[in-house]
Amino acid sequence: MKLNTLTLMPDGVEIALPQGSPLTDIEYETSEPLIPFGCRSGACGACVVEVIDGAEGLGESDPEETDFLEDLGWADGNHRLACQCRLLDSATVRVVDN
């Protein structure tokens, strides 16, 4: 089983997850909430992250996610809803303060 690393900035916390795992699985790897997941269905915006490195490692954004991010003011293409991502390769993100 291949493990990939999700690095959370600014603290540099590294979480290893099996390839293809949803980012919501980080809740099983740590006792503290590192990403504030809300609805887990891409409808609340609680889990917006800025992708610093490895965007391709989070899978592609579907049109609904892209539209919702635009509605939230994150239309630059550097942000994702963490609940909609799967860790396909290592990536580095920063949780956005809402």
Side-chain angles (χ1 to χ4, degrees):
M1 170 188 340
K2 180 180 180 197
L3 294 177
N4 292 318
T5 302
L6 178 68
T7 304
L8 294 151
M9 300 307 283
D11 297 328
V13 175
E14 294 184 347
I15 305 289
L17 294 173
Q19 184 170 12
S21 295
L23 294 196
T24 53
D25 282 1
I26 69 168
E27 294 179 316
Y28 304 118
E29 302 299 321
T30 180
S31 60
E32 63 182 80
L34 299 175
I35 297 176
F37 293 108
C39 69
R40 292 173 175 70
S41 64
C44 73
C47 64
V48 175
V49 294
E50 176 185 13
V51 181
I52 297 170
D53 188 42
E56 65 283 347
L58 298 175
E60 291 191 34
S61 177
D62 66 29
E64 292 84 14
E65 178 186 359
T66 301
D67 289 345
F68 187 56
L69 285 165
E70 288 176 4
D71 291 346
L72 294 174
W74 302 108
D76 61 7
N78 295 324
H79 292 80
R80 294 290 308 271
L81 298 172
C83 70
Q84 300 301 295
C85 298
R86 292 190 169 271
L87 195 59
L88 305 175
D89 202 347
S90 295
T92 301
V93 300
R94 181 185 65 82
V95 175
V96 173
D97 294 326
N98 291 329

